[in-house]
Structure formats: structure tokens, C-alpha cells
Amino acid sequence: MSNISDLKPKVSIIGAGNVGMRYAYALMIGGVVRQMVIVDLDRKKTEGEVMDLSHGAPYISPVEIISGDYADIKDSDLVVITAGKKQAQGQSRIDLAKDNARLYKTIISQVMRYAPSAIFLIVTNPVDVLSYAALKFSGKSYTEVIGSGTVLDSARFRTLLGRHCGIDPRNIHAYILGEHGDTEFAAWSNAMIGGVLLKEYCAACDDKHACDNEKGLNQIFEDVRDSAYKIIGLKGETSYGIGLALVRITQAIIKNENAILPVSSLTQGYLGVNDVYLSLPAVINKKGIREVLQLTLNAREQKEFRKSSAAIKRVIKELGLL
Ligand code: NAD
């Protein structure tokens, strides 16, 4: 009989709410891991979630799922933190950041106690601020503390562009960069369809009146930027898209893929911006961030990136982290 502590790869999830459980469900279906530990303040609900999810294993993958304490996360390859509060009606982002940074102080010290060598994947919002807080609280190398960043936003962008152009979104390379939030921007100058720059694709498109070029494309970006607000307005939370985006990042780490994804990482000198977590395409493998690509942005996009930096720095300064 195998010892459960030997089962690898092992991923631990801190926070068994909507996002944590959608991620766990998608991870199980993806067959990426052999063991999952789920830790949440609400032990009773988490036990129910784990029982429910485990019962699907015979039809999917032989994954062991445990509703555990921090001690159970020992030897995890990856710890994914989705615990925390959501923005309450009327609450400012800075107040949310303060609340979640307070929770992170305890969570990160527990995770460091039991799984100090794991890669940390931060999901709680505001994700760029909380990733920076996790870096400071843990004292780990920046290569091992990754924010989910604009991986979800870029998936939304590719989905809407694909729908608009009638192209499979998997053949579209296009990024939303900067903050995961209000100051994020579309890197239009680098957007490509099957290796053709989007602006060249648009110029040759038979149907060019359909999107009215810049105006139509900008509407796509606005729909991407505002989609979280829209989904929350319709159903109260967002969780399926982020759950699948987290599985994609997990695969890149666990399978040592050297995949390029627009995660949030510590910016060090790009466009003169330093010491802040923002999203740029980065090469991800089992050690975390291998390198951050030095993308060439046009003047307008460079300005947007600096605007994101200023917005996040304001918050981390107010929290006393900078
Ligand atoms: P939720 O309220 O459903 O779940 C949060 C869970 O965290 C709850 O189960 C709660 O018991 C648990 N929790 C709170 N404090 C804890 C602690 N100290 N230790 C352990 N568990 C604790 O919320 P949700 O919908 O799952 O969202 C979670 C977070 O993810 C939010 O901050 C949300 O804004 C964020 N989110 C991020 C993205 C992204 O792209 N980065 C996308 C969607 C949601």
C-alpha cells in the first residue's frame, strides 16, 4: 500500500471557496496531480467539498484529496492561495487590500512553516498587491512567488478576439498586461493571429467594416476589462474561468513546460519600473519564473504599463510594504 505522503505531484490549495473549489475540480479532471490538500478556516464545509469531489475519482484520475491543516501541506510542489475576502459593496480596493494583506500575514507564515520550498501561486485580489505582500512576508526568491496576474484577462481577450475574427482562440497570441484590474491594457502592437500581426490581418480582412477598426477593437478591450464586474453583477462571483486559468499555470509548473504565460511577477527594470508585481509574459517551469520577456511595446502601451505601476505602488505604499 502506498504511503499517502509519497504521492506526487502534490498541490495544496489554501481557500476552499468558489475559486479554490472550481480550481480543484478542474485540476482533478486535468489529471495533473496525484495529491491535493485543501485548507480553509471553514473545516466543515471543506470536508463536505472534499468528500463530494473525491467520489468522482474512479471516473477521472486516481487523485487523493485531503481536507487538511497546514501541517498536511508538507512537501507540496505548489501552494495556491485563493483564501480571502471579496470586495464588498461600497468597500474601496485599498480597504480590501488591507483586509487581505492582514490575512496573508498569518497564511504565509503557516505556509512557510510547512512548505517553504513550494512554488507559491497567489490568486487572492488585489492579486498584484497580495503577490508582493507574499514575497515580502515569505522572504522567498521572486522566482518562486507568482501571481495569477492577467492569465485570465488574456484568455478573455483571446476568446473575444477569436469570436470577432472567427478564429480558434488557441491560434491567437494576444496579451492583456499591467495590473490585473482597472489599469490593465491590451498589448495591441504585439497581438498576432497565426503569426500575422493583428494590424496586418485587419488590413487584409474582407470584412473590415464589421469592426470599424480601432473603435470596434477598443470595444473588445473594454468588454474584457469590464467582464469581471459584469459576471459578478450577473452571478455574484467569477470562478470557472479563473479555475481553468490556474490549471494552465499549474501544468506549466508541474510538467516543467517552460510555457509562456502573462503571470504577475516582480518587475525589475523593465521600462524603468522596479519593485512592483505586474503582468508581463514570463517563461514558467518547475522552478517558477525562469525569465520575464522584455516585450517591445509602443509609446501608448508603455505609458499604460507605467500607469499600472503607479496604481499598484500607491496601494503597497499605503499598506506599508514598500
Ligand atoms: P469565497 O468567499 O468563495 O472563498 C474564500 C475562502 O477563503 C472562504 O472559503 C473562506 O473560508 C476562506 N478563508 C478566508 N480566510 C481564510 C484564512 N485565513 N485561511 C484559510 N481560508 C480562509 O471567495 P472566492 O470567490 O473563492 O474568491 C477568492 C479570492 O479570489 C477573492 O479575493 C477574489 O477576488 C479572488 N479572485 C481572483 C481572480 C484572479 O484572476 N486573480 C479571479 C477571481 C477571484
Side-chain angles (χ1 to χ4, degrees), residues 95-123:
D95 284 341
L96 175 72
K98 276 184 190 152
D99 282 353
N100 283 340
R102 211 171 299 125
L103 293 182
Y104 260 49
K105 222 172 196 153
T106 319
I107 293 172
I108 297 294
S109 81
Q110 289 294 323
V111 175
M112 282 306 288
R113 185 163 170 211
Y114 293 104
S117 327
I119 304 292
F120 293 2
L121 176 56
I122 308 302
V123 188

Side-chain angles (χ1 to χ4, degrees), residues 17-19 40-41 82-86 123-125 148 180 238 242:
N18 297 304
V19 173
D40 194 288
L41 285 181
T82 71
K85 299 193 174 155
K86 286 179 283 198
V123 188
T124 312
N125 274 324
S148 60
H180 166 67
T238 73
I242 182 65

Side-chain angles (χ1 to χ4, degrees), residues 152-163:
L152 170 61
D153 318 63
S154 298
R156 288 172 173 155
F157 189 38
R158 289 167 61 189
T159 303
L160 295 193
L161 269 176
R163 200 173 291 163

Side-chain angles (χ1 to χ4, degrees), residues 67-304:
S67 161
D69 287 318
Y70 281 101
D72 298 307
I73 73 172
K74 192 169 166 281
D75 295 327
S76 295
D77 299 289
L78 173 69
V79 175
V80 181
I81 312 180
T82 71
K85 299 193 174 155
K86 286 179 283 198
Q87 201 158 358
Q89 201 140 33
Q91 186 184 32
S92 71
R93 285 179 66 234
I94 179 78
D95 284 341
L96 175 72
K98 276 184 190 152
D99 282 353
N100 283 340
R102 211 171 299 125
L103 293 182
Y104 260 49
K105 222 172 196 153
T106 319
I107 293 172
I108 297 294
S109 81
Q110 289 294 323
V111 175
M112 282 306 288
R113 185 163 170 211
Y114 293 104
S117 327
I119 304 292
F120 293 2
L121 176 56
I122 308 302
V123 188
T124 312
N125 274 324
V127 70
D128 304 296
V129 174
L130 271 295
S131 301
Y132 188 82
L135 178 82
K136 293 288 158 182
F137 296 156
S138 66
K140 275 171 83 73
S141 158
Y142 78 92
T143 54
E144 296 182 347
V145 180
I146 306 174
S148 60
T150 55
V151 175
L152 170 61
D153 318 63
S154 298
R156 288 172 173 155
F157 189 38
R158 289 167 61 189
T159 303
L160 295 193
L161 269 176
R163 200 173 291 163
H164 181 80
C165 301
I167 300 282
D168 182 339
R170 291 173 302 176
N171 296 122
I172 296 180
H173 261 73
Y175 295 115
I176 298 292
L177 299 176
E179 177 192 3
H180 166 67
D182 295 342
T183 70
E184 69 186 27
F185 64 95
W188 289 112
S189 63
N190 290 279
M192 282 198 174
I193 293 187
V196 177
L197 278 172
L198 182 71
K199 58 178 178 248
E200 289 165 13
Y201 183 88
C202 286
C205 175
D206 289 341
D207 204 15
K208 48 174 94 58
H209 302 296
C211 69
D212 198 22
N213 293 325
E214 200 164 335
K215 192 163 155 254
L217 293 177
N218 201 45
Q219 186 60 50
I220 292 178
F221 165 67
E222 286 176 12
D223 290 346
V224 168
R225 187 196 53 204
D226 300 338
S227 54
Y229 293 116
K230 188 155 186 208
I231 297 167
I232 290 168
L234 291 168
K235 61 171 268 211
E237 41 83 18
T238 73
S239 50
Y240 290 106
I242 182 65
L244 289 163
L246 295 174
V247 172
R248 180 68 197 95
I249 304 171
T250 303
Q251 275 168 340
I253 295 167
I254 298 293
K255 296 187 174 173
N256 199 22
E257 285 182 352
N258 291 314
I260 297 176
L261 292 165
V263 291
S264 186
S265 65
L266 190 71
T267 309
Q268 300 177 93
Y270 178 72
L271 302 178
V273 171
N274 277 298
D275 207 22
V276 63
Y277 264 71
L278 290 171
S279 288
L280 283 170
V283 183
I284 315 287
N285 63 25
K286 67 175 181 191
K287 292 188 176 157
I289 307 268
R290 191 188 81 185
E291 67 182 279
V292 178
L293 300 190
Q294 305 293 297
L295 205 63
T296 304
L297 297 177
N298 68 24
R300 190 167 72 181
E301 294 158 357
Q302 290 184 19
K303 206 167 142 203
E304 302 275 13

